[in-house]
Amino acid sequence: MIMTSTPRTQVHPDPHSASQALATEVADLISSREAKQLPTVLGLATGATPIHFYEELRRLHTEHGLSFGSVITFNLDEYVGLGRQDPQSYWHFMHDQLFDHIDIHADNIHIPDGTIAEADLGQHCEAYEQAIKNAGGIDLQILGIGTTGHIGFNEPGTARDSRTGIVDLTEETRQSNAVFFNSIDDVPTKAISMGCGTILDAKQIAALAWGERKASVVQGALQGPVTPDCPASFLQEHPSATFYLDQPAANALR
Ligand code: F6R
């Protein structure tokens, strides 16, 4: 593994070993906070990128007894219009990949509600922000990075201080995510997403990216200008952000 500083970058041979390294850090974080009788607040992502990471957390739970009894989670986003039971909803994804297999308390799971009535949306998003504050803030936020440079679903042009709200998905993001749907027409056009400001408030951030198709956005995020044109570039200004990459995703770094 190769490591650099600001933001820290770990280049691993493959997504599996990178995910194992991150899962071990999460287990250590949970244990050290538990020893102080403190909960661990995790910000979680969906999509293809964190699948090995969730697999590894499940393994640590079943084979090593890692308990999630003191863990509180907040997911980054949810598609507008998809209910909990919809197989493409992020509520469904998270339960399928992680929550149904570990001992987390259902009350400690937070995912924006994609079916909220438009009139109640503002209040729902404010309540989400408040719930994060009430939990003591996010200790560790896990992020994937979109090929557009988005973090959460904050597409290019989003302000650094944006908060949880409704966002439009770009055509490129809808195309990328169409692999999880029957057709591009089924991919929602909007989502509820934590804002860039919400994400950057996390005490620590782990940004994950695998594969050649992420190489150019990773290069821009780490070595390009800090700009709303690439929301992932805001991570350069975070005091404790680490990029977990595989070799192909790191190929364009200078
Ligand atoms: C998911 C999320 C998105 C994804 C990003 C990468 O909750 O907020 O930012 O992390 O679109 O998606 P994948 O991992 O499918 O390449």
Side-chain angles (χ1 to χ4, degrees), residues 173-229:
T173 294
R174 292 183 66 242
Q175 287 286 356
S176 298
N177 292 5
V179 291
F180 297 106
F181 291 80
N182 288 331
S183 88
I184 175 85
D185 298 334
D186 296 335
V187 184
T189 56
K190 290 179 187 296
I192 300 173
S193 176
M194 278 188 202
C196 291
T198 324
I199 293 168
L200 294 167
D201 280 349
K203 290 161 206 161
Q204 282 184 70
I205 296 180
L208 284 50
W210 327 131
E212 185 64 40
R213 66 184 271 273
K214 297 284 174 81
S216 122
V217 76
V218 163
Q219 195 277 328
L222 275 163
Q223 297 176 334
V226 176
T227 164
D229 294 344

Side-chain angles (χ1 to χ4, degrees), residues 6 74 84 86 112 124-125 127 139 142 175 178 180 193 212 218 222 231 237 248:
T6 45
F74 289 90
R84 291 182 167 193
D86 194 305
H124 180 66
C125 295
D139 294 305
I142 312 297
Q175 287 286 356
F180 297 106
S193 176
E212 185 64 40
V218 163
L222 275 163
E237 294 179 343

Side-chain angles (χ1 to χ4, degrees), residues 44-50 75-77 90 143-147 150-154 173 176-177 180 193 208 213-214:
L44 299 178
T46 57
T49 305
N75 264 81
L76 283 165
D77 36 31
Y90 286 162
L143 294 178
I145 299 177
T147 52
H150 70 214
I151 48 174
F153 273 138
N154 300 291
T173 294
S176 298
N177 292 5
F180 297 106
S193 176
L208 284 50
R213 66 184 271 273
K214 297 284 174 81

Side-chain angles (χ1 to χ4, degrees), residues 8-10 12 14-23 25-26 43-54 57 76 140-147 150-151 205-211 213-215 217-218 221-222 232 235 241-246 249-250:
R8 286 187 294 272
T9 306
Q10 296 187 11
H12 292 263
D14 53 62
H16 202 81
S17 53
S19 303
Q20 274 178 337
L22 178 59
E25 284 190 31
V26 169
L44 299 178
T46 57
T49 305
I51 282 178
H52 293 297
F53 169 63
Y54 293 141
L57 289 184
L76 283 165
L140 174 63
Q141 174 68 56
I142 312 297
L143 294 178
I145 299 177
T147 52
H150 70 214
I151 48 174
I205 296 180
L208 284 50
W210 327 131
R213 66 184 271 273
K214 297 284 174 81
V217 76
V218 163
L222 275 163
L235 298 173
T242 305
F243 279 66
Y244 292 76
L245 307 173
D246 67 355

Side-chain angles (χ1 to χ4, degrees), residues 105-173:
H105 301 295
D107 290 349
N108 287 345
I109 296 169
H110 304 84
I111 304 176
D113 181 353
T115 62
I116 208 88
E118 216 175 315
D120 300 328
L121 206 66
Q123 201 193 356
H124 180 66
C125 295
E126 267 172 44
Y128 204 72
E129 292 271 335
Q130 193 56 49
I132 295 174
K133 284 200 188 101
N134 294 348
I138 292 173
D139 294 305
L140 174 63
Q141 174 68 56
I142 312 297
L143 294 178
I145 299 177
T147 52
T148 59
H150 70 214
I151 48 174
F153 273 138
N154 300 291
E155 299 286 16
T158 310
R160 191 200 172 287
D161 60 358
S162 63
R163 309 305 305 187
T164 303
I166 190 158
V167 295
D168 291 314
L169 303 178
T170 60
E171 205 46 37
E172 182 174 331
T173 294

Side-chain angles (χ1 to χ4, degrees), residues 73-89:
T73 63
F74 289 90
N75 264 81
L76 283 165
D77 36 31
E78 178 61 281
Y79 288 118
V80 166
L82 301 194
R84 291 182 167 193
Q85 298 319 323
D86 194 305
Q88 271 79 36
S89 75

